[in-house]
Amino acid sequence: MTDYGHELSFGLSLDPTADALEETRRLARRADDGGLDYLAVQDHPYQPGHLETWTLISHLSAVTHRISFLTDVADLQLRPPTMLAKAAASLSVLTEGRIQLGVGGGAFADAIASMGGLPRRGAQMVAFTEESLHLMHQALTGGVVSMQTPHHAVTGYRAGPVASAPVRLWLGAQKPKMLNVTGRAADGWISPLNIYVPPEEVPARQQIIDEAATAAGRDPRSIRRIYNVLGTIGAHGAGPGLVGDVQVWADTLSDWALRLGFDTFIFWPTGDAENQLDVFTSHVVPAVRARVAAARGRR
């Protein structure tokens, strides 16, 4: 695979569980103070214990100062694309540009139906998602937005406000048809967790994205690549995902940037999240930045 040359960025996944709110606030502030780039929040509103994603992000944006937020990923089947774009643009204005928009087609059709959403599946879901990306791109740049298809009936919405900082649309995708949509229509690919899409499976997926982008007249290097990484930092750690000391993490994430093409890593810590976050921000992130910069400088 290849290094696409983007500046590296790092983030932390936050637990949206209502019972974990105090810890979530502390982690958000520590990540902000520690210099991370993103706080990522998953979107499963049909989970009774989960806070609503946009409401939680809005709350956390008020108790942080610098760090950006990422929906990882917002369910398009429960969030109409024009309203989702409106919400993202509004929050970007309110936070002075601290919003990026990760979206997904909606993987849990039965749960979506339980909330009154239309449970699109298969080819119907893929077509709906691609059209939604086009609608949101239009809405985020302002002007009149229209689309008449079997999936959307937007009859001339006057979009705005337009955020001063771009709100990028990053698509969560795993299978070939959605990866093709990523290459054709998204600003970036959000890979599922490393336990679901392990590193050895990444090159084939990157190739699908690159070929779809090239066929659509896009430069594959313009597409961001985001990896959700579950694991534990510690010499004696145990559990799923990436497990090892700081050296292992620095070696591994550097390899995934230079060889697999990822430019953004969202850390999903297991165990003591606050301690894990401190080690990640203080030791892993600077080591990866230094190693990747050195490797790029030798080319």
Side-chain angles (χ1 to χ4, degrees), residues 11-180:
L12 174 72
S13 178
L14 294 174
D15 185 352
T17 304
D19 291 345
L21 181 57
E22 282 301 322
E23 180 184 25
T24 298
R25 285 197 197 101
R26 289 197 303 273
L27 287 168
R29 293 189 183 104
R30 289 174 88 119
D32 191 24
D33 293 341
L36 289 190
D37 303 287
Y38 296 111
L39 291 168
V41 182
Q42 60 185 286
D43 184 37
H44 297 290
Y46 33 76
Q47 294 287 353
H50 283 198
L51 295 165
E52 195 277 326
T53 297
W54 278 113
T55 308
L56 178 58
I57 288 175
S58 299
H59 171 74
L60 294 174
S61 71
V63 299
T64 53
H65 304 287
R66 176 203 53 81
I67 199 165
S68 292
F69 290 85
L70 167 68
T71 50
D72 190 13
V73 292
D75 190 323
L76 287 172
Q77 297 196 54
L78 288 172
R79 302 177 182 279
T82 49
M83 275 303 300
L84 186 55
K86 178 83 172 187
S90 299
L91 199 50
S92 181
V93 170
L94 293 169
T95 61
E96 299 181 333
R98 296 195 288 141
I99 298 298
Q100 302 300 335
L101 190 52
V103 299
F108 301 100
D110 291 341
I112 289 164
S114 76
M115 293 190 76
L118 178 62
R120 300 174 181 88
R121 296 175 171 88
Q124 186 185 42
M125 183 268 285
V126 174
F128 168 80
T129 301
E130 187 161 7
E131 291 178 5
S132 295
L133 288 171
H134 290 303
L135 272 175
M136 287 187 288
H137 276 300
Q138 291 180 53
L140 288 167
T141 55
V144 178
V145 180
S146 299
M147 181 180 287
Q148 291 287 340
T149 74
H151 304 294
H152 294 99
V154 181
T155 60
Y157 159 57
R158 296 184 179 275
V162 177
S164 57
V167 178
R168 299 179 185 89
L169 293 173
W170 294 340
L171 181 62
Q174 181 172 352
K175 295 182 179 180
K177 289 182 180 179
M178 288 291 278
L179 293 167
N180 273 287

